[in-house]
Structures are given as structure tokens and as C-alpha cells.
Amino acid sequence: GAVVRSLCDGYKIDSQAIIRFNANEKKLICGDPSAESWNDIPRFQAEYFARNFLQERGYLNPEFRQEDDDVIILPGEKTKIKKVSIKGAPKRTLKAWQKRGVRGAPLTPKTLDSLEGWAISGLKSKGFACPHVFSQGDADSGDVDLLVEPGRCLDIISLNQEPVEGLMDGVLERFNAFHIGDPYDYRNLALTSRRISQNGILQSSYFLTECDEDGVRLTQKSMPGARR
């Protein structure tokens, strides 16, 4: 069954699972005696922070109860993802079952960010250079909706390489894993950046993507760094 544990003076947690807050989180709930302005945290503010920290861990519906001089924090059950539905994605682009480790994972902002990133990467590997993805999680059912706005499938129409001091124009082109006119695929841009980094000619090189009606315009930015 549940066990009541002391968090700090005035706050206890009633939970079967052991929930640990780090030092900074404890200061925002319990106050910080070494800082005068943080010495006494109002209860509404402490509960606000505690609620946020618990939701980050998947406890989406915590409750707070006054008992004598203590506030009892009741985290409730951790919400886990039961189903992911993808809405608005073009055919043969995204399949929820391909994202491993999602079903049964805690429904947290971090998990939703990971899902959004997975969907964006999947679309960018199939020509959709500037997609938008939004996630919605239901705390009661554990269901997640991924709402996809893919934009258009585009080709690369231009590449602007910003000059690098000490490098001749065109030197970096031999590392390119793509050509002008190719369908956009972010994996080819990542491969190009990795080739340059591994060669040691630059510290790093990356691409900015701009979507027009005609296609994708790339800007390549590079950091010289120390020569290897």
C-alpha cells in the first residue's frame, strides 16, 4: 500500500512508489533557508511547482491535502501511454508501431517531445522539409494524438555555402551526399555534416533549411575550429 514519507518540513508524500526530487526542485517546494527571498514559499506556489515536477514524471493528476500542519502530496497513479494515433500524415510516411518503446512509457512532456521529434524526422526523410507536428495526451485514457501538418514534398533548388576563412570556395562540395534537384532528405544533410566533421577539415558544418513554393533553399554554415 501507499506509504507517507516526509519531503521536508510541512510537506509529505503519500505514495507507494518512491518519488525523489532533486535539490533544486526541493528548494522550489520547501524553500531555501540560505536565501532570504526563498525562505518561505507560499503554499499555492509550492503546490504549483510540485504539480509540474510530478507531471514531468508522468503523475498527471496529483492532489494536495491539508493534515494538521502538513500538506500531504498524493501523486496518484503514473499515466502510461496506451495508444498513439497519427492524424494528417501522408500515406506510407509514419506508422506509430515503428516508434519503439512508446507503448507503456510514462505520458510526460519529455515523451511527447520525443514522439514529435520522431515524426518530424520521419517526414523530413521523405521529402517533407518543413513539417509541423503537435501532440496531445489524454491523462485519463493514456491515448496520444499526433497532429501532423506535413507541408509539401519538395526538391532542393539551391545551396548557399557561407565562406570559411582559410578554405577555398567549393572545397566542401566533395563531401556532399546530395545534389541540387534531389528530393529533400535530411539524412543526406546529416551525412554530409558527419563526413566533414570526421575528415577534420572543420570543427562542424550544418545546414539551415528554408522552404519556398519552388523547393528547398539550403544555407551551409561552418565553424573552422582547431585543425586536426
Side-chain angles (χ1 to χ4, degrees), residues 172 193-194 196 202-207 220-223:
L172 297 179
S193 297
R194 193 159 61 248
I196 293 170
L202 294 170
Q203 179 178 325
S204 68
S205 186
Y206 62 95
F207 296 88
Q220 186 173 4
K221 292 179 171 286
S222 302
M223 294 179 60

Side-chain angles (χ1 to χ4, degrees), residues 23-31 38 41 45-46 49-50 53:
N24 287 332
E25 290 172 334
K26 280 188 178 181
K27 285 180 182 179
L28 292 172
I29 299 171
C30 306
W38 288 93
I41 305 290
Q45 198 169 356
F49 286 125
F53 298 147

Side-chain angles (χ1 to χ4, degrees), residues 64-174:
F64 302 87
R65 184 180 73 232
Q66 186 76 39
E67 193 173 281
D68 298 327
D69 294 332
D70 292 322
V71 174
I72 309 298
I73 303 171
L74 300 102
E77 291 295 319
K78 185 178 287 191
T79 302
K80 296 185 178 180
I81 295 176
K82 293 181 180 174
K83 185 176 73 173
V84 177
S85 300
I86 300 174
K87 301 178 180 179
K91 289 182 179 178
R92 295 184 295 279
T93 54
L94 300 175
K95 298 188 187 305
W97 53 263
Q98 290 177 336
K99 172 63 173 163
R100 293 181 181 176
V102 170
R103 185 173 294 179
L107 179 50
T108 65
K110 186 176 180 180
T111 310
L112 294 180
D113 287 346
S114 173
L115 264 172
E116 290 178 10
W118 164 80
I120 288 171
S121 295
L123 292 164
K124 283 188 169 186
S125 69
K126 293 179 170 62
F128 301 94
C130 296
H132 296 284
V133 179
F134 310 92
S135 59
Q136 295 178 344
D138 188 304
D140 296 322
S141 66
D143 293 347
V144 173
D145 288 335
L146 277 184
L147 311 176
V148 176
E149 297 174 4
R152 292 175 54 231
C153 207
L154 300 171
D155 296 336
I156 297 170
I157 57 173
S158 69
L159 170 60
N160 172 38
Q161 291 178 327
E162 293 194 347
V164 182
E165 186 177 351
L167 279 188
M168 292 176 58
D169 290 346
V171 167
L172 297 179
E173 289 179 5
R174 65 190 173 97

Side-chain angles (χ1 to χ4, degrees), residues 7 14 24 48 70 75 103 125 129 160 186 190 199 217-218 223:
L7 175 63
D14 187 348
N24 287 332
Y48 168 80
D70 292 322
R103 185 173 294 179
S125 69
N160 172 38
Y186 89 98
N199 181 271
R217 302 184 188 278
L218 299 176
M223 294 179 60

